[in-house]
């Protein structure tokens, strides 16, 4: 669908990007995470921010916060010195990076905030050098609330000069930015982060369902344990949703399942033993097969209830 071969002279090394006051920022994908990230960039950067999403209402919401929505992603690639991506799956990440490298400015840096797989971005490394562009894989953790508050945790992979060039902008929506190493290492760190989250979500769902069968008041139990050893971000965010059967999606089950599967790919490549990851993935697959992939991952508790 998209060509990944650049129409620019081949280079032997990628450019070192120096941001300027007239630079524009770009955002491709303004969904649950991408829109609040883009809004933070508009509010804090002092720069013009162009944004594209396939959904008209997301573009309209972006315009309401004084962003500049565009009708075609090429307008972002051609006009922005730094382009951020927030996309739902590996196929889209691959396609958009390939298209961006055909159209991007010389010296631009492409920053993928999606949760993807290391080989997806590494496949574009030579094309980026030829285009005089930089690549940074920078998945983020914290969910919609942290994206809105600007307190996400960002895990970066890529050349140090590219990470440092974009770090000031990452800090506009992240409370912590960590350079994990070479290109692809940010993705790997996020997948391992999500291995922990996926197993913990399954454990919280199982435990609260067990509490119900034991005749305990779930909300009273939540208050009793939240400040003890079982306390965690997952318990704080997903526990109340499970207890209220509130499955409105702040983090869709299908997105978690995609990350679980990517983590399984990584584990297979490196020969890691991951029985808890495998079990959590099977549980999420059951929910998706039941047509519930668009619900919040908190819906997992229904597998354990009578």
């Amino acid at each position: 669908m998209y060509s990944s071969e650049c129409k620019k002279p081949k280079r032997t090394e990628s450019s070192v990007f120096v941001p300027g006051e007239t630079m524009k920022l770009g955002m491709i994908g303004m969904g649950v995470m991408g829109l609040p990230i883009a809004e933070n960039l508009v509010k804090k950067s002092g720069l013009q921010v162009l944004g594209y999403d396939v959904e008209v209402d997301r573009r309209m919401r972006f315009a309401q916060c004084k962003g500049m929505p565009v009708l075609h992603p090429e307008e972002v690639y051609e006009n922005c010195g730094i382009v951020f991506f927030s996309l739902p799956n590996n196929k889209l990440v691959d396609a958009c990076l390939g298209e961006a490298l055909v159209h991007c400015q010389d010296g631009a840096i492409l920053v993928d905030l999606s949760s993807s797989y290391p080989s997806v971005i590494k496949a574009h490394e030579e094309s980026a050098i030829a285009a005089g562009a930089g690549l940074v894989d920078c998945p983020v953790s914290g969910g919609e609330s942290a994206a809105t508050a600007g307190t996400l945790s960002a895990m970066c992979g890529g050349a140090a000069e590219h990470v440092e060039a974009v770090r000031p902008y990452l800090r506009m929506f992240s409370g912590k930015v960590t350079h994990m190493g070479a290109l692809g290492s940010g993705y790997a760190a996020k997948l391992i982060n999500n291995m922990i989250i996926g197993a913990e979500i399954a454990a919280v769902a199982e435990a609260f369902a067990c509490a119900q069968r034991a005749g305990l008041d779930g909300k009273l139990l939540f208050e009793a344990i939240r400040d003890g050893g079982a306390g965690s971000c997952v318990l704080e965010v997903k526990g109340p949703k499970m207890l209220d059967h509130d499955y409105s999606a702040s983090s869709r089950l299908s997105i978690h399942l995609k990350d679980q599967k990517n983590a399984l790919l990584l584990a297979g490549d490196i020969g890691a033993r991951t029985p808890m990851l495998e079990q959590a993935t099977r549980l999420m697959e059951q929910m998706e097969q039941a047509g519930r992939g668009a619900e919040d991952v908190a819906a997992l508790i229904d597998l354990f209830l009578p």
Side-chain angles (χ1 to χ4, degrees):
M1 181 176 177
Y2 299 112
S3 171
S4 61
E5 294 187 6
C6 300
K7 303 173 182 177
K8 302 178 182 179
K10 185 173 179 64
R11 294 172 176 240
T12 57
E13 58 180 342
S14 57
S15 302
V16 177
F17 180 74
V18 180
E21 293 181 0
T22 60
M23 181 185 69
K24 296 181 177 69
L25 303 176
M27 173 62 75
I28 301 294
M30 296 188 293
V32 171
M33 297 293 288
L35 183 59
I37 288 172
E39 290 174 344
N40 271 305
L41 290 171
V42 171
K43 293 173 186 174
K44 300 173 184 178
S45 70
L47 301 174
Q48 192 173 64
V49 183
L50 281 62
Y52 174 77
D53 193 278
V54 293
E55 298 291 338
V56 175
D57 75 299
R58 308 303 287 189
R59 300 200 299 267
M60 291 177 64
R61 287 179 59 183
F62 182 55
Q64 290 169 2
C65 78
K66 300 185 179 179
M68 178 176 284
V70 298
L71 296 178
H72 305 285
E74 291 87 350
E75 295 177 65
V76 175
Y77 306 142
E78 291 168 358
N79 291 286
C80 298
I82 299 175
V83 181
F84 297 95
F85 300 80
S86 182
L87 301 166
N89 59 59
N90 297 352
K91 185 177 180 180
L92 269 175
V93 171
D94 181 50
C96 289
L97 287 176
E99 184 181 28
L101 287 169
V102 171
H103 297 282
C104 68
Q105 296 182 358
D106 186 47
I109 302 179
L110 310 180
V111 184
D112 183 35
L113 307 174
S114 318
S115 296
S116 193
Y117 188 70
S119 63
V120 172
I121 198 165
K122 289 167 76 172
H124 294 278
E125 196 165 10
E126 288 187 10
S127 294
I129 293 171
L135 292 177
V136 175
D137 55 301
C138 184
V140 293
S141 182
E144 182 182 12
S145 60
T148 301
T151 58
L152 290 164
S153 179
M155 294 154 269
C156 304
E161 62 267 27
H162 295 144
V163 173
E164 290 311 307
V166 301
R167 186 184 292 271
Y169 303 98
L170 297 175
R171 291 302 303 267
M172 292 173 189
F173 53 83
S174 305
K176 186 173 186 178
V177 179
T178 306
H179 185 194
M180 300 302 303
L183 193 67
S185 60
Y187 284 160
K190 176 64 186 297
L191 292 179
I192 292 168
N193 172 82
N194 284 2
M195 285 173 62
I196 297 170
I197 291 173
E200 193 170 355
I201 288 170
V204 171
E206 178 182 329
F208 276 136
C210 185
Q212 180 174 314
R213 288 176 179 271
L216 295 175
D217 181 316
K219 293 186 178 180
L220 189 61
L221 175 65
F222 173 75
E223 291 297 332
I225 67 175
R226 64 189 302 191
D227 296 319
S232 70
C233 181
V234 169
L235 181 68
E236 286 293 315
V237 175
K238 299 304 177 186
K241 289 180 75 70
M242 291 179 186
L243 294 171
D244 291 336
H245 303 288
D246 170 16
Y247 305 146
S248 57
S250 61
S251 49
R252 294 199 311 275
L253 186 141
S254 61
I255 298 297
H256 274 270
L257 179 57
K258 178 263 295 182
D259 291 343
Q260 297 284 117
K261 290 180 176 178
N262 279 337
L264 284 172
L265 283 174
L266 178 64
D269 285 348
I270 61 178
R273 184 168 177 267
T274 55
M276 295 178 70
L277 170 64
E278 292 162 17
Q279 180 59 30
T281 302
R282 283 194 290 269
L283 293 171
M284 291 183 195
E285 284 176 332
Q286 288 180 46
M287 294 294 287
E288 186 173 63
Q289 289 163 7
R292 302 184 66 178
E295 297 179 26
D296 193 272
V297 71
L300 205 65
I301 192 174
D302 283 355
L303 287 177
F304 300 97
L305 293 172

